[in-house]
Amino acid sequence: IMVIEFLIIGGKMNNFIVNTEKMLSPIAEKITNKKLLIALRNSFAGFIPIIMIGSFALFLNLLIVDVPARFGITIIAERLSWLIVINNLVFNGTLGVVSLLFVFSIGFNVAKVYEVETLGGALIAFSSFIISLGGSIVNNLALSRKGQDLLEGLKLGVIPFESEEIQGVILEFLRGNYFDTKGYFGAIIIGFLSTIIFCKISKKKWKINFPSSMPPAVGETFLSVIPALTSLYTVALLTYGFNKIT
């Protein structure tokens, strides 16, 4: 009796799985056929070798430095210091700038699915991500006694200086800490946004009448200026607004 009940339950479960597959398969097929998801999938797929190589370099340094250090062994790291340096260089060029590389890959694949110039899309995404990282920092720094002595001349007349704090402003800098995995999510958003704007305007095929003496290759280059300008300035305006709000 228990065997019969088990077979009945198993048969019902199989029917449930089959019916679920029939119901979800069309939805999954529609999702996988979406242009942006295809671009994101291809970006991740093409990016796997970079991640693997960077992880391998990190793993080697873990075996050479961290694991022996737990047992008080330092001679391995000393003898293989040259390999540690090489692994650090490989890591810096892979996982250390993973967001920069990934946003380039997104731009390339989004432009590809939209059937627009792929290199142009990749460069727009890369440039837009750099724009989104730019900004300025304003911070109040307390001065030590020595620092105040160095700035006594400011109090004597040229520049008024009455406070024991100085306000430091750093302009036009790049947040390098977002080059690695911290900027991954931002790279996806900025990469999609900037490249889609570039592709949508490029697909309109706006024409600019150039003199007949101008080479066709030069004229085609100028046609991408308007889409690129619109995309980059959109990202710049959004970055400016975000920095103002935050």
Side-chain angles (χ1 to χ4, degrees):
I1 295 174
M2 293 180 62
V3 174
I4 295 174
E5 291 179 351
F6 179 77
L7 291 175
I8 293 173
I9 295 172
K12 291 181 179 179
M13 183 62 68
N14 288 334
N15 292 333
F16 175 76
I17 294 173
V18 171
N19 293 331
T20 304
E21 288 180 352
K22 289 180 180 180
M23 182 179 62
L24 296 180
S25 292
I27 300 175
E29 186 176 353
K30 289 181 180 179
I31 292 175
T32 54
N33 287 333
K34 294 296 183 180
K35 286 184 176 181
L36 298 183
L37 291 180
I38 291 174
L40 184 61
R41 180 197 64 193
N42 293 340
S43 298
F44 276 112
F47 212 64
I48 290 176
I50 297 295
I51 296 177
M52 291 181 64
I53 294 171
S55 301
F56 179 73
L58 187 63
F59 179 70
L60 280 182
N61 275 356
L62 179 68
L63 293 179
I64 296 172
V65 180
D66 296 341
V67 174
R70 287 183 175 274
F71 300 96
I73 302 172
T74 59
I75 188 171
I76 298 177
E78 294 172 359
R79 294 290 179 87
L80 297 178
S81 59
W82 59 273
L83 183 57
I84 296 172
V85 174
I86 292 175
N87 289 333
N88 288 334
L89 292 175
V90 173
F91 177 84
N92 291 336
T94 53
L95 295 182
V97 289
V98 66
S99 294
L100 291 179
L101 300 175
F102 189 67
V103 76
F104 189 90
S105 178
I106 286 179
F108 182 92
N109 285 288
V110 170
K112 186 176 181 180
V113 297
Y114 275 97
E115 298 180 352
V116 178
E117 183 189 2
T118 54
L119 179 60
L123 292 175
I124 289 298
F126 184 85
S127 180
S128 297
F129 185 65
I130 296 297
I131 290 172
S132 70
L133 296 179
S136 60
I137 287 179
V138 179
N139 198 6
N140 293 322
L141 303 174
L143 296 179
S144 63
R145 181 68 258 172
K146 184 178 180 180
Q148 293 178 29
D149 293 339
L150 292 175
L151 293 174
E152 278 297 325
L154 296 177
K155 296 182 180 180
L156 297 179
V158 181
I159 302 175
F161 185 84
E162 300 296 338
S163 175
E164 293 185 355
E165 293 185 345
I166 183 171
Q167 187 178 72
V169 182
I170 305 174
L171 298 174
E172 306 304 329
F173 75 102
L174 291 177
R175 296 182 177 92
N177 57 327
Y178 287 99
F179 289 172
D180 56 13
T181 53
K182 295 185 184 71
Y184 225 81
F185 185 68
I188 295 175
I189 295 176
I190 296 298
F192 274 129
L193 175 64
S194 59
T195 313
I196 289 172
I197 294 174
F198 175 78
C199 293
K200 290 287 188 181
I201 299 177
S202 297
K203 295 288 282 187
K204 294 182 179 297
K205 296 182 179 180
W206 291 337
K207 294 183 178 180
I208 303 175
N209 294 323
F210 296 105
S212 58
S213 59
M214 180 176 290
V218 178
E220 291 177 1
T221 302
F222 274 97
L223 290 177
S224 63
V225 171
I226 296 177
L229 183 145
T230 306
S231 178
L232 295 180
Y233 266 85
T234 299
V235 174
L237 286 171
L238 292 175
T239 302
Y240 176 80
F242 181 77
N243 289 338
K244 283 293 184 182
I245 294 173
T246 57

